Amino acid sequence: MRAVQPAAPLRRALALAAAGLLLAGCAGGGSHPAAAGRSASSSDLTATPAAAGSPDPNAVTPLQPLPAAVPAALAPYYGQQLSWQPCDQGFQCASFKVPLDYDHPGNGDLTLSAARRPADGAGGAPHLGSLLLNPGGPGGSAIEYVESVAPSYQPAVRASYDLVGLDPRGVGRSSPITCLSGDRMDAYTAVDTTPTDQAGIDKLVAADQEFANGCEQHAGALLGHVSTVEAARDMDVLRALLGDQQLNYVGKSYGTLLGATYAGLFPSRVGRVVLDGAMDPSLNSVTGNRTQAAGFETAWNSFVQDCDSRSDCPIGSTAQQAGQQLDSLLAQLEKQPMSTDGGRKLTEAQAVTGVIESMYADFLWPDLRSALAAAKSGDGGALLALSDSYYERSADGSYPNLMFANMAVNCLDLPPAFGSPADVERAVPQFQQASPHFGRDMAWMALSCAYWPVKATGTPHTVKAAGAGPIVVVGTTRDPATPYAWAQALAGQLASGRLITYDGDGHTAYGRGSDCVDSAINHYLLEGQPPAAGLRCSK
C-alpha cells in the first residue's frame, strides 16, 4: 500500500458506491487505502524537522468564511458563460477558467471541466437547480462518477436536478497532474511498506522521493495550488456560472471535506448539502492515519466474522486463526513474492492493498475469500487484481491520474505526519496498537509527504459554517476509511449539522442498499427538510 484514500473512487462504478481514498502521509487523504484527517492533541506525534516552516498541526482554529461579495479581481471569472456541448452518451460537457492562485488572479489560469445530466422534468417536477456530486479521493473524477451513477439516482431527484460533476483542479479532465509512468507506478506499488532493515527503509524512501520528484517535474506551479480550499473556491465559481444562488451538493468520503470546506468559506451560499462518509477536518496527519488504520481493523474483524459463517472461508474459524493466517501470508510474501498467471509478482505491499481494497464494500468480501484461498495455494493473481483495482490500473499497465492528484492534495492540505524514518519507527507501536494487522503498513505509508517539494498550506481546523442551512452528515458504524467517529465530530462542529447513523459495513451509506438512509436523504434533497435528530438506519 502506498497511501490510503478514504474511499477509492469509482471502484467498480457502483451506483452511488463509496468513493475516495484518503491516505497519504499528510493526513486528510492520500494515495493508499488509509490516511485522511487532522487532529490536534499535544500528546500526538506531529511533523518534525522536515516540516519546519509549515503551519503548526496542533493549532486547530475555525475555518473563517470569505467575504460575501465577489472581489473585483475575480469578477471576470464569475462572469463567464458556459457553453454546454453534447458528450458522453447523453451528457453535456463544458469548460471554464479559474485563477491558478486566488490570491494573485493575474498569475495565470487553469481550465476546469464539468459534465451534467439535465433534469428530465418527469411528471412536471419543479426544477430545483443543479446538484453537484463528488466521489472523493482526493483525485476521483467527478465527471466519470456522475456519468456512472446518474442513472441510479431516484427518478424524482433526476427529474428535479441537473446532476453535475466537476473534476477538481489537478484531477481527470481539469488540468490533471501526472507523476510517474506505468512501469514506475508498478514498482512504486510493490515497494515494501514494512521495512525491517536500513536497506528496506532506503528503498521505501527512494520510492517516495521518486514519486515526489516526478510530480514536481511534470506538474510545475500547479503542484502548489491543488488544495481543498482552492477546489472549494472553484466550486463557487461554477455555482455562479450555473445560475444557482446556493450550492446543492452530495459529497462522499474526501468529497465531504470538500463540501464542508465550501460551507465554511461560503455559509450563506449553502443549499442542500449531504456529506456521506465524513472526514474530520480537525485531525492532524498522524491522528488521521492512525484512526483510519483502526477503521480498517474494525472492517477486517467484521469480514472475519462474516467469513466464519461461510462454507468457503479459507482463514480459519476464529478471529485469532484468521489474523494468524493473514500475518503468515504477509510474512511469506515479504520473504518471497508470489507468482501470478500474468507474469507479475505479488508482493506483501500489494497483498495488503488487496485486502484493504476489499474492506470498502462487503460485496467485495467473496472476492477476498477467493483471493486468500488462491494465495494459500500459491497463486497471487486474485490478490494482485484486487490491488490493481484499488489503484485503478488498466490491463495495459497504465494508471489514471487518481493517485497523483491524491498525493498532491493530501500533501498540500496538511503538514507531513512524519519528517523522517526515525519518526515512523517511534510511532509504529501506537499504530500497531490501533491496528494489529494494518498499523505498521499505514505508519510507514504516512512518511510519503515528508519528501514533498511543496510546503503544506493547510492546517487542522474546525468547520462551523454559521448561518448555513441544515447540512446532513452521514456516518457508517463500521466504515473502514472514514471511521464513524469522524462523522460524529464533523456533525458536532457544524452549526447546522444533522447526523444520520448507518449501522453497517463498508464505506459510505447513501445509495448502498438502505431504504432508511436513501429515503431520508432524497426527502431532504427534494423538500429541504433534514432528517429527524438521532436518525439511525440499517439495511
Side-chain angles (χ1 to χ4, degrees):
M1 273 176 20
R2 298 294 314 170
V4 177
Q5 333 167 53
L10 308 175
R11 203 170 267 98
R12 294 207 176 175
L14 259 207
L16 298 184
L21 299 173
L22 291 183
L23 248 203
C26 317
S31 3
H32 241 43
R38 308 153 156 103
S39 141
S41 158
S42 59
S43 62
D44 285 330
L45 294 168
T46 56
T48 54
S54 297
D56 179 1
N58 284 325
V60 179
T61 56
L63 180 64
Q64 297 300 312
L66 291 171
V70 175
L74 298 180
Y77 299 99
Y78 279 82
Q80 298 172 84
Q81 297 293 319
L82 294 175
S83 177
W84 294 102
Q85 303 296 325
C87 68
D88 303 338
Q89 299 181 344
F91 282 78
Q92 298 174 344
C93 293
S95 61
F96 61 100
K97 301 287 187 181
V98 294
L100 172 67
D101 182 352
Y102 275 93
D103 291 335
H104 304 92
N107 288 356
D109 293 339
L110 297 175
T111 298
L112 306 187
S113 295
R116 73 175 179 182
R117 179 195 181 279
D120 59 37
H127 187 236
L128 298 177
S130 304
L131 179 64
L132 268 67
L133 310 181
N134 184 281
S141 168
I143 291 178
E144 291 182 20
Y145 182 69
V146 72
E147 291 178 353
S148 172
V149 305
S152 303
Y153 264 74
Q154 186 192 56
V157 176
R158 298 199 309 267
S160 292
Y161 282 104
D162 301 332
L163 300 182
V164 179
L166 166 66
D167 277 358
R169 54 174 59 204
V171 174
R173 304 181 194 179
S174 293
S175 304
I177 287 174
T178 60
C179 301
L180 297 179
S181 62
D183 62 326
R184 296 314 303 156
M185 274 298 292
D186 280 348
Y188 179 74
T189 64
V191 170
D192 183 12
T193 50
T194 57
T196 55
D197 56 24
Q198 189 59 49
I201 292 173
D202 290 345
K203 288 180 181 179
L204 179 60
V205 169
D208 285 337
Q209 290 175 331
E210 180 186 6
F211 191 103
N213 292 339
C215 294
E216 181 179 31
Q217 177 182 350
H218 291 98
L222 176 60
L223 208 59
H225 294 285
V226 290
S227 69
T228 298
V229 166
E230 288 163 311
R233 299 188 70 170
D234 295 341
M235 286 204 306
D236 194 58
V237 173
L238 179 58
R239 172 205 58 77
L241 302 187
L242 291 168
D244 294 328
Q245 295 300 308
Q246 294 184 313
L247 179 79
N248 302 309
Y249 178 84
V250 175
K252 286 176 171 273
S253 195
Y254 163 79
T256 66
L257 179 63
L258 181 57
T261 300
Y262 181 92
L265 295 175
F266 305 104
S268 65
R269 298 174 194 163
V270 169
R272 300 170 189 181
V273 170
V274 177
L275 307 177
D276 181 15
M279 292 177 62
D280 177 2
S282 74
L283 299 178
N284 67 24
S285 298
V286 174
T287 305
N289 280 277
R290 190 177 61 236
T291 55
Q292 191 182 50
F296 280 102
E297 191 74 24
T298 296
W300 165 257
N301 291 335
S302 190
F303 163 75
V304 169
Q305 183 177 7
D306 177 82
C307 187
D308 182 45
S309 69
R310 311 285 179 173
S311 61
D312 63 342
C313 184
I315 53 174
S317 59
T318 67
Q320 183 178 10
Q321 289 176 350
Q324 290 173 343
Q325 292 203 31
L326 178 62
D327 291 343
S328 176
L329 172 62
L330 296 177
Q332 173 189 342
L333 290 169
E334 185 168 26
K335 294 178 181 178
Q336 181 64 50
M338 189 175 292
S339 299
T340 69
D341 289 341
R344 296 164 63 207
K345 297 282 190 177
L346 172 72
T347 68
E348 179 199 13
Q350 290 163 327
V352 172
T353 302
V355 174
I356 289 291
E357 158 76 359
S358 306
M359 298 299 99
Y360 279 93
D362 53 9
F363 71 82
L364 290 173
W365 291 356
D367 293 348
L368 180 57
R369 292 197 300 271
S370 298
L372 291 173
K376 289 180 67 174
S377 300
D379 181 3
L383 269 178
L384 184 59
L386 285 169
S387 176
D388 287 349
S389 176
Y390 179 83
Y391 291 108
E392 298 188 5
R393 182 186 188 271
S394 298
D396 64 4
S398 63
Y399 289 76
N401 148 260
L402 169 65
M403 288 297 166
F404 310 139
N406 183 271
M407 192 75 75
V409 174
N410 287 328
C411 292
L412 199 57
D413 271 358
L414 287 177
F418 306 115
S420 70
D423 296 335
V424 180
E425 290 178 317
R426 286 192 292 270
V428 162
Q430 295 180 29
F431 275 70
Q432 287 186 310
Q433 182 177 10
S435 176
H437 297 103
F438 310 112
R440 185 175 182 85
D441 290 84
M442 292 189 176
W444 280 104
M445 286 190 294
L447 180 62
S448 53
C449 287
Y451 309 104
W452 204 244
V454 179
K455 289 183 179 179
T457 57
T459 60
H461 57 270
T462 57
V463 177
K464 187 173 183 179
I471 297 174
V472 175
V473 178
V474 187
T476 298
T477 55
R478 293 181 295 281
D479 191 313
T482 51
Y484 176 63
W486 292 2
Q488 293 177 300
L490 180 59
Q493 291 170 30
L494 292 166
S496 58
R498 186 67 60 88
L499 178 65
I500 297 176
T501 297
Y502 172 58
D503 187 359
D505 297 293
H507 183 49
T508 75
Y510 180 43
R512 297 194 62 241
S514 170
D515 289 340
C516 172
V517 171
D518 292 354
S519 61
I521 291 177
N522 289 333
H523 182 72
Y524 166 67
L525 291 175
L526 294 169
E527 304 297 335
Q529 297 176 356
L535 178 63
R536 195 174 186 93
C537 296
S538 60
K539 280 192 177 178

